[in-house]
Structure formats: C-alpha cells, structure tokens
Amino acid sequence: MWDDAFPSFLIGLREGLEAGLIVSVLVATLVRAGATSRLPQVWTGVLAAIALSMSFGAVLTFTAASLSTTAQEAFGGTLSIVAVAFVTAMVFWMRRSARGFAGEIKEKVTEALAMGAGVVVLTSFLAVGREGLETALFLWTTARAANESAGPLTGAGIGLVSAAALCWGLYRRVLRINLTRFFTATGVVLIVIAAGVLGYGLRDLQEGTVLPGGTAYAFDLSGSVDSGSWYSTLLQGVLNLTPAMTWLQVAGYVGYLAVVMTLFVRGVRGVRGVREQSGAGVPARAGAGAGARADEAVAGGKRADAPPAVPSVTPPAAPPPATERPAAPPPATGPPSTPTTAPTRRPAWLIPVAVVAVPVLLAGLVVALAHPKPAAGETVAVSETDCGQGFTEPEPGRQDFLMHNTGNQTSEVYLIDPSSNAVYGEIEGLAPGTTRDLVATVAGGTYAWRCVPADGRAVTSKAVRVGGAAGAHAVVPVSERDLAAPLKAYRAYVDRGLATLVTQTQKLSDDIRAGRLGTARTDWLTAHRTYASLGAAYGTFEDFDQKIDGRPDGLQGGVHDKDFTGFLRIEYGLWHGEPASGLKGVAQQLAEDSAGLKKAFPRQDFDSSDLPLRAHEILENTLQFELTGDTDQGSGTGLATADANLAGTHELLVVLTPLLTTRAPRLLPTVDADIARLQKLLDSAHHGTGWTPVDRLDRTAKARLDGATGQLLEDLSPVPDLLEVRKSA
C-alpha cells in the first residue's frame, strides 16, 4: 500500500506545510498586533477552506462515478492533466517564494485588520483554500491511478499530520528547517511523479477516445515483467510506469520530464547565483545567532515577557501602527443619551457551522445533479394485441418506464429505434398482470416499444420523436440469420479438428497397444491439445465430452472408477506407471468415442445463439480447471491445455469479427492485446517439448497468468450481450 501512498504523502506534506506555515504567520501576526480576539476569524477561514476542499473531492468522486466508462476515462484523464499543471505551477512558485512568502502574508493580514473581521476570514480562507483544492485534485488523481483509495488517503493523512507537526515545531521554535532546500528537493521528486501522472492521464484520454493511438504500444513487457513484484509495484505506484505504454504516454512522460526538470534545475541555480552575489561583502546582521540564514523559517518561542515571534527571518518588526492597536473610545460629547437595549449577539457557533454547511450543501447539490434519478416514468401497457399504450414523448435523460403486462401471455419487451431496430432497453419474461421497471437513457432520436408474446407475433407501438442531440446507447440486434455464416464457419473448423482428433487418438491407441509408452505420452499431449482447441465448453459435444475428457469428480471410485474414461484416465495411467495392458482398453475406447463424435457432430444441435457464449465460456473453464491444476492427472501439462483453449477462443473470435466490428469497434483491439499478453505468458512456460506444471509456478508467475486470463475474460464479457439473438416475431 505504501507504493500507492507515497505520492499522496509527499503532496500532503508539501501542501500541508505551505498551508500550515501560512496559518502560523497569520496567528503570529495577530498575536504581535495584540489582536488575539481575531484568532477565531482565522480558524473560521481555515475551517471553511477544509470544508470546501473535502467537498470538492466528493464532487470529483461522485461525478466521475455517474459517468459511462468511456466518459470516466476522458474525465479522469482531463483532471490528471489539470492536476499536473497545478502541481507544476506550485513547484515553481514555491521555489521562487520560499524566502519571502511569510512577509507577504504579514502584509495582507495587517491590511485585513484595518478592514474588518470578514476580510480576516477571507484572507485565511483564500490562503489555505488554494492548497486544499490542489491537494484534493491531486489526491483524487492518484487514487484513481492506483485503483484504490486506502493507500493514497493513508499517505495524504500521514503527510498532513507530519506537516502540522513541523509547523507546530517551527512556531514553538523547537525546529529549524531550511525551507528553500526542502521545497527544492521535494520539488524534484514531485516533478518525476507528475510526469507519471501525465502519462497516466494521456492513457485515460486514449481509452476515452479523446486522443488517438490507444493500441500503438511503444513497448509491452507484461509477458516478461512481473506486475506483482515489489519493484513493479513500486514503479507503478510511485511513478505510474506500467509494463505496457503507448507511444503517446512515453512521449508525454519523457518530454515533460526533460523540459520541466531542466527549467526547474536552471531556476534553482539562478536563485543560488543571485544569493551569492547579493550576499558578497554584506556584514552579518547584528544580533544574528550562529547558523541563522535568510532562507530559514524561524518561529517564535514562548516566553513569559514576549508574544510568539512571526515565523520569518525579516528584521524584528516595528511596533504595530496605531490602527492595529485597540483604540481608546472617544470622549463622550453632547447630552446623555437614553439607555438602549444591547444588540443581540450571534451565537459563537453560528459562523463556523455556516462555513462548513454551505460547501457541503453545494457539493451535495452538485452530486445530486450528477446522479440524476430516473424521471418518474409513465405506466406503459403491454399485451399480445397492444404494445405501448400510454406511451408519450419522453423527456431527454434517464427515464423509468413502468411496464405493466395487461395481456394473458408472458412477453419480451424492448424499447427500440424503429428505423434500425436497435435496442435501448429490454425486459425478458414479463408475466401477465405484473409490473416491472425498465430504466433507459433517452436522447435525441426516435423511440417505440416492441412486445413479443410467448405465443404470437411481435407488436410494435407508434414511434415518437425526441428532440435534442443524439447520445443514447443502443445495441443493434443480431438475428439467427446474422449468426448463420459465423456458425457455418465455426462448425467447419470444429469438423476439421475432429478429423485430426480421430487420427491422433487412433495413433495413441496403437502406441499403447504396442507398449510404446514414452511415445504414447507425447502423442497423448498432441491429441489432447487438439481436442481442447475445439471449444468443448458446457456440453458442446453433448454426452461425448464426458466420455472423451471427463473428470473423476463425483465418481465413487475416483480415478479407479470404471466410468472414468478418456484423456484424463489415460493421463493418470501413463504418468503413474500403469502397464500398457491396463490402458489398452481405455485407449481403444477413446479412439472409438472420438470417431463417434466425428460422425455425430454434423447432426448435433448447435444453437446459433450459443456461439457468442463460447467466446467467454472456453476461458472460464480454463481459469476454473487448467489454471488451478484441477484436471491435472500427473502430466503437468495444464498450461499446454490452456494454450490450446486460447487458440480455440481466438478461432471463435475470428468468425465473430464481422459482427463485433460494427457493434463495438474498440472491443477487438483491446481483446487482441489481451490475447497477445496471455500468449506471451504461456509461451514463457513452454520449454522445448515440455511445459512448466501449474503447481511448480512461483506465486508471481501464477498471479500474472491468473490476472491476464481474468482481464481477457472481463474484456470478453460484453460479447454475449452484443450478439444476443432477440425475439422479433
């Protein structure tokens, strides 16, 4: 967690120290001016600044959460770049102002004292609020980059507490810090961190389709770099350097670092040169203690005979002007006035509560607007003879339609664009007499309802037109006719693979019958990989799958049960020293079952609507069985099987490409990158004719494989919904 916490710790320390020093100067100036009664005004301004900063962070968090995935990427990337700009400006400003900003604050406070309580509150609010808003923005950005908030929040909390402790030590004169050196050193580190944030922000903008080049990688080391190792975690958490980066990310990172760091270092040298020239030949200030420097922040110690000194190295301030001291009341003149009732004083708690409540309420209002609840929708009647009764032109935005089935049949209900049949929302299985919500986003376009009863023809309502810009997301439905060509191509691929399998299993049977068990082990793996590449997931081959590749799970006799047959039974025997005589019958049965599957496959029912499911299910099986070692019966070739499953998934995606390209053009490039990444990891476990067994993988390699497979599964998860066959008649 520290890797994610360090950037936030550093920004919390720097910004907290800046704000804390400002508050220290404000307090010390008021104490020296004899205006301690104004101290509550300072703390009121500080409290308001803290409330505003926290409210700003809440607005960023909840506003982003209400956006679509693509919009979130664009929003996050934009704010990341804004955060980099703020941090860069802050680093350069503090480099120039570290020596004299205390004097500037003193001058502002002196002016504020003469202008009234409200100005004192405003002065402290503005001074601290700027640091707070910068901290909130940078913290939100780093938390988003880390994909978790515990680390960044912990780091920022530690940084702010440390800054408060340092400021207290400076004020009480128990610490002496060379602020110029401190802000210079932390500035260098922050510039490096900001370069990583810039690279991350550019990547977000690419994923949000704001910038091009999202698939143009400068390098991809995910197959050879362990993303879970301590050094990888450190680089990603602190510097936002990832194993795979696009050319735009690399250009932004290197360009920012080269330009900004060069300007910063030159500026530091320039400041030092000015100091050396201005300090030459100037006698030491009388009374200056040993080691006192012009760029040291010195705070007043607590003495019985003097108030705390201002944390500054400027010469002792002259006595405060008369306007800063409480003036004596003017002598009374004129006739005595009639006693009046003393004015009612406001409660002391009123202003602090108000300055906290106002930003919180405003933030709540923004969040509420960012999370619009679906408009209270109208009730729309559904039946086998009438669809969409009561449907009127909806308002743009999220709408909650109350779909009530007034008919006698269960119906599928779709909100569609009648010109393209694209689906904006749907309810499956709306039973008679029931009411269910259908929430959909409405924008500029044409809308209608389509009801498809269980027994009957589809009924479509009258279309209505909604004005405004287009923007509602709709999925163009897929028909069985659309899937006919991909299904035919995939069946041809499987049929060719089954022909190869028949030949290979017969050769395996011949090897075992002849007692060539060494050769049989090699031929077993070849045949098993062929079968695994055919996508036998969730009963694709009906009962043949259990016969050919069934596991011993649930069998009374386990691996010795008479019903345990097929590849895994032969694997157990070959790698547990069983003689050929004990395996001949099982091997011959496998060859016969393979031939039987080849003969039966053309007549097997393969629903076209199941085809998109295979893109996800094959690898689900891989993650559940092969990558856990659950199917390994001694050969240690689980990763070889996983490699064959990946090949089968790729073949399936090839036949689905025409349908996916038109519906989700950005999906396939992402999936292709995921497949390449997983393929690299599997290849690294393949050594000549052997494979690293799953149980011999080190924890890091296993985590990388699981992570890459999980990511591919996540990116493939939209495929079944995109290519779902929806009823139309």
Side-chain angles (χ1 to χ4, degrees):
M1 187 175 68
W2 175 245
D3 309 301
D4 295 330
F6 178 73
S8 297
F9 163 77
L10 187 61
I11 198 70
L13 179 63
R14 270 188 65 106
E15 298 280 9
L17 188 57
E18 289 181 35
L21 288 173
I22 291 172
V23 173
S24 298
V25 173
L26 289 169
V27 172
T29 303
L30 290 174
V31 170
R32 294 194 64 184
T36 55
S37 61
R38 298 288 187 91
L39 289 179
Q41 299 164 10
V42 173
W43 299 122
T44 298
V46 171
L47 191 62
I50 294 173
L52 177 65
S53 302
M54 296 181 69
S55 300
F56 178 58
V59 168
L60 292 178
T61 301
F62 290 106
T63 300
S66 69
L67 300 175
S68 65
T69 302
T70 302
Q72 283 185 37
E73 300 293 348
F75 182 72
T78 301
L79 289 185
S80 294
I81 294 177
V82 172
V84 170
F86 279 155
V87 169
T88 305
M90 177 264 291
V91 165
F92 279 90
W93 176 80
M94 204 59 199
R95 186 203 68 199
R96 294 191 303 269
S97 306
R99 298 180 62 206
F101 84 107
E104 296 176 6
I105 296 298
K106 281 176 57 184
E107 182 178 350
K108 291 180 180 179
V109 174
T110 301
E111 296 174 356
L113 284 172
M115 298 178 66
V119 180
V120 175
V121 173
L122 183 62
T123 300
S124 60
F125 170 77
L126 293 177
V128 178
R130 187 192 66 177
E131 317 300 336
L133 292 175
E134 290 179 356
T135 303
L137 177 58
F138 195 85
L139 179 60
W140 182 85
T141 302
T142 53
R144 191 173 187 278
N147 288 321
E148 58 100 11
S149 57
L153 286 175
T154 301
I158 295 174
L160 291 171
V161 170
S162 301
L166 289 175
C167 290
W168 181 88
L170 289 171
Y171 185 80
R172 306 300 296 179
R173 193 172 280 184
V174 296
L175 288 176
R176 298 174 68 86
I177 298 177
N178 187 316
L179 290 181
T180 300
R181 291 182 180 177
F182 172 82
F183 285 117
T184 298
T186 55
V188 170
V189 179
L190 270 181
I191 289 173
V192 176
I193 292 175
V197 174
L198 176 62
Y200 177 84
L202 292 174
R203 179 58 180 165
D204 271 356
L205 290 176
Q206 288 179 315
E207 293 179 350
T209 69
V210 176
L211 294 176
T215 59
Y217 287 95
F219 57 85
D220 186 354
L221 305 178
S222 54
S224 54
V225 173
D226 175 18
S227 58
S229 62
W230 67 268
Y231 56 85
S232 181
T233 303
L234 182 67
L235 289 174
Q236 293 183 62
V238 176
L239 304 181
N240 274 305
L241 291 175
T242 57
M245 296 181 70
T246 64
W247 283 107
L248 182 60
Q249 283 182 278
V250 173
Y253 184 94
V254 174
Y256 173 88
L257 199 59
V259 173
V260 176
M261 189 67 78
T262 300
L263 294 175
F264 185 79
V265 172
R266 285 181 179 176
V268 171
R269 291 174 179 173
V271 170
R272 289 177 179 172
V274 170
R275 287 181 187 168
E276 292 172 358
Q277 293 177 10
S278 62
V282 177
R285 176 167 54 86
R293 294 175 54 87
D295 54 0
E296 290 176 339
V298 182
K302 187 175 182 181
R303 294 170 46 190
D305 59 343
V310 178
S312 171
V313 294
T314 54
T323 56
E324 296 183 13
R325 299 175 179 174
T333 59
S337 58
T338 303
T340 57
T341 304
T344 304
R345 298 184 61 184
R346 287 190 299 262
W349 52 265
L350 181 59
I351 295 180
V353 169
V355 298
V356 172
V358 169
V360 170
L361 290 175
L362 290 176
L365 179 61
V366 173
V367 170
L369 293 176
H371 279 272
K373 294 183 179 180
E378 56 195 2
T379 299
V380 180
V382 174
S383 73
E384 57 269 23
T385 58
D386 191 7
C387 183
Q389 184 179 0
F391 179 51
T392 58
E393 179 181 334
E395 294 293 329
R398 294 187 70 200
Q399 300 289 331
D400 185 0
F401 299 100
L402 305 178
M403 311 306 300
H404 179 62
N405 190 340
T406 59
N408 299 317
Q409 295 187 35
T410 299
S411 293
E412 310 290 323
V413 183
Y414 305 107
L415 179 62
I416 66 169
D417 178 351
S419 62
S420 64
N421 289 323
V423 177
Y424 293 100
E426 63 182 303
I427 293 179
E428 296 182 352
L430 183 62
T434 61
T435 301
R436 286 165 58 185
D437 290 349
L438 189 153
V439 178
T441 299
V442 175
T446 306
Y447 297 83
W449 291 102
R450 176 165 294 162
C451 306
V452 185
D455 296 314
R457 298 182 60 82
V459 181
T460 303
S461 73
K462 180 181 178 181
V464 299
R465 177 74 186 175
V466 177
H473 178 67
V475 176
V476 178
V478 174
S479 66
E480 292 189 3
R481 178 180 297 179
D482 294 328
L483 286 171
L487 180 60
K488 181 179 179 181
Y490 187 67
R491 290 184 70 101
Y493 160 75
V494 173
D495 196 59
R496 292 192 301 269
L498 289 175
T500 302
L501 179 68
V502 170
T503 302
Q504 292 173 343
T505 53
Q506 187 59 55
K507 186 174 186 302
L508 172 62
S509 178
D510 294 343
D511 291 337
I512 292 177
R513 184 183 301 107
R516 299 188 295 268
L517 298 186
T519 304
R521 293 187 183 94
T522 301
D523 290 341
W524 174 89
L525 180 58
T526 301
H528 191 237
R529 280 170 54 82
T530 296
Y531 184 77
S533 68
L534 302 181
Y538 295 96
T540 300
F541 299 134
E542 299 178 354
D543 294 338
F544 282 99
D545 184 47
Q546 179 62 31
K547 296 176 182 178
I548 293 174
D549 204 34
R551 299 182 299 279
D553 305 357
L555 297 179
Q556 185 174 1
V559 294
H560 302 293
D561 195 285
K562 62 180 179 62
D563 292 329
F564 182 33
T565 61
F567 277 112
L568 300 189
R569 173 65 183 89
I570 296 173
E571 177 188 7
Y572 180 85
L574 288 176
W575 273 271
H576 283 83
E578 286 192 28
S581 58
L583 295 174
K584 285 191 298 184
V586 181
Q588 183 58 38
Q589 183 63 48
L590 174 62
E592 292 175 2
D593 288 338
S594 298
L597 175 59
K598 172 67 173 67
K599 183 178 180 180
F601 179 69
R603 301 186 304 275
Q604 285 184 336
D605 183 22
F606 198 140
D607 192 339
S608 59
S609 63
D610 286 345
L611 193 60
L613 297 174
R614 297 291 176 264
H616 196 266
E617 290 174 346
I618 295 172
L619 288 177
E620 275 186 343
N621 276 4
T622 303
L623 190 61
Q624 181 180 0
F625 300 118
E626 276 70 40
L627 294 186
T628 60
D630 182 74
T631 56
D632 186 13
Q633 300 299 322
S635 67
T637 58
L639 296 185
T641 306
D643 181 72
N645 287 337
L646 183 62
T649 299
H650 181 264
E651 288 293 334
L652 181 59
L653 290 172
V654 168
V655 303
L656 294 175
T657 293
L659 296 177
L660 290 172
T661 300
T662 57
R663 288 165 175 80
R666 293 188 296 272
L667 175 64
L668 286 176
T670 301
V671 168
D672 288 342
D674 291 342
I675 290 177
R677 188 173 296 115
L678 179 56
Q679 187 66 64
K680 263 187 182 179
L681 294 173
L682 291 170
D683 289 345
S684 66
H686 187 194
H687 314 288
T689 58
W691 293 78
T692 303
V694 172
D695 60 1
R696 294 184 187 175
L697 290 171
D698 60 66
R699 186 174 64 177
T700 299
K702 179 66 166 55
R704 289 163 57 194
L705 268 172
D706 290 345
T709 307
Q711 183 62 55
L712 177 53
L713 276 170
E714 181 178 343
D715 291 334
L716 285 172
S717 61
V719 172
D721 288 334
L722 289 170
L723 303 184
E724 179 184 355
V725 176
R726 292 175 168 85
K727 295 181 180 180
S728 58

